[in-house]
Amino acid sequence: MRRMTGLLICCVGLLANTTIVSAEMTESSAERFADAYFYDIVMDHIQGDDPANYHMTDSENISFGPLLETYVPSSSCYKTGETCTFVPTKEYVATVFQDDEPVNVIGTYEQAAGTYAFSTFGSDKETPKALTDVKGDLVKYTEESAWFDYDGDMLTALTSNTKQMISGDEISTEAFQVLLVEENESIEGNAEEGMMDGADGYSDEEESNKPTSNTNRLIGFTVLAILPFGYWFLKRRKAT
């Protein structure tokens, strides 16, 4: 117990330090953030990590595609009888090119009103090329890691995983809503079955209330919170 408590204190201390560093990496718009930091973020991965892990080589010939704002299904898309719409996430992503080849995806998001910060770097091999073909709105269905090009009526699948999800190359907004409603009902049904199973022996709630379980979960949440900023902290340590 003492060792876990000590680890928690260390994690919290590291989080405090990395939060200060990340606060310096902000700009007033997505475009300004991309111009100021995208190249440096990619170069840090090329020079400080194994670039092959990011589908890259050690070439420093890096460029970027246009910033695309991402959209997600609104709550209405999960309800029968309502009009399915897509809402902006205020996250912008761009394809990373190395030697003029699409190799990865990088992003920035609105951390607070008028303040943009680093959101993500990393994707599979297929998505970077797929994002270069977007002509309408870029829609992401996070639950399936599916990407669509939305023209206001039809959703065109951009990746093979997306095509598999909708069983084709494109789908209408109405048919897509039917898929989401069915999936949501399936998830709710599984959750109810899980609650019934928890009635045997001891419940999931009783298990989660155990002191050791709570401590482990708190440590896990803290570690996950610091991961996006870890390499910036280490870089700052090396520089000093």
Side-chain angles (χ1 to χ4, degrees):
M1 184 66 180
R2 289 182 179 177
R3 292 178 61 186
M4 283 189 280
T5 304
L7 177 59
L8 178 59
I9 293 172
C10 290
C11 289
V12 172
L14 180 57
L15 177 60
N17 287 329
T18 53
T19 301
I20 294 173
V21 174
S22 67
E24 299 174 2
M25 291 178 52
T26 57
E27 287 290 343
S28 58
S29 70
E31 293 78 10
R32 288 176 64 90
F33 186 91
D35 291 342
Y37 296 111
F38 274 8
Y39 181 81
D40 289 340
I41 291 171
V42 174
M43 288 307 300
D44 279 342
H45 284 79
I46 290 176
Q47 297 173 349
D49 299 322
D50 182 355
N53 292 335
Y54 302 90
H55 318 304
M56 299 187 297
T57 67
D58 58 1
S59 171
E60 298 184 5
N61 181 20
I62 300 298
S63 58
F64 303 92
L67 281 172
L68 302 172
E69 185 171 14
T70 61
Y71 292 75
V72 294
S74 69
S75 60
S76 63
C77 294
Y78 299 86
K79 301 174 183 177
T80 302
E82 296 193 14
T83 301
C84 178
T85 59
F86 301 93
V87 294
T89 64
K90 295 187 179 180
E91 179 180 24
Y92 294 77
V93 296
T95 295
V96 179
F97 291 87
Q98 187 177 50
D99 296 325
D100 298 323
E101 293 293 326
V103 293
N104 219 305
V105 175
I106 192 168
T108 178
Y109 77 110
E110 190 176 46
Q111 186 181 62
T115 301
Y116 283 80
F118 171 56
S119 66
T120 186
F121 175 65
S123 74
D124 56 25
K125 290 185 177 181
E126 187 180 12
T127 301
K129 173 63 170 64
L131 296 188
T132 65
D133 297 329
V134 176
K135 298 178 178 62
D137 291 333
L138 178 62
V139 171
K140 182 177 183 181
Y141 179 52
T142 307
E143 286 80 354
E144 298 287 346
S145 296
W147 294 93
F148 298 92
D149 185 0
Y150 181 56
D151 65 3
D153 180 34
M154 301 294 293
L155 293 136
T156 301
L158 293 173
T159 63
S160 56
N161 178 61
T162 308
K163 292 178 182 179
Q164 182 177 359
M165 174 195 168
I166 64 174
S167 301
D169 293 332
E170 62 180 15
I171 189 172
S172 67
T173 307
E174 292 77 12
F176 184 66
Q177 182 178 22
V178 171
L179 281 180
L180 298 193
V181 170
E182 291 177 349
E183 183 171 287
N184 190 51
E185 290 176 347
S186 175
I187 292 173
E188 290 179 349
N190 291 336
E192 290 178 359
E193 290 180 6
M195 292 176 65
M196 293 291 292
D197 292 341
D200 298 328
Y202 54 85
S203 67
D204 293 338
E205 182 179 358
E206 289 172 340
E207 174 67 17
S208 66
N209 285 334
K210 289 183 179 181
T212 300
S213 176
N214 284 336
T215 302
N216 289 340
R217 290 172 62 189
L218 184 56
I219 292 173
F221 291 149
T222 304
V223 172
L224 286 175
I226 68 174
L227 283 178
F229 312 110
Y231 76 91
W232 291 103
F233 174 72
L234 294 176
K235 180 184 174 185
R236 178 63 61 85
R237 289 285 300 272
K238 291 178 180 178
T240 57

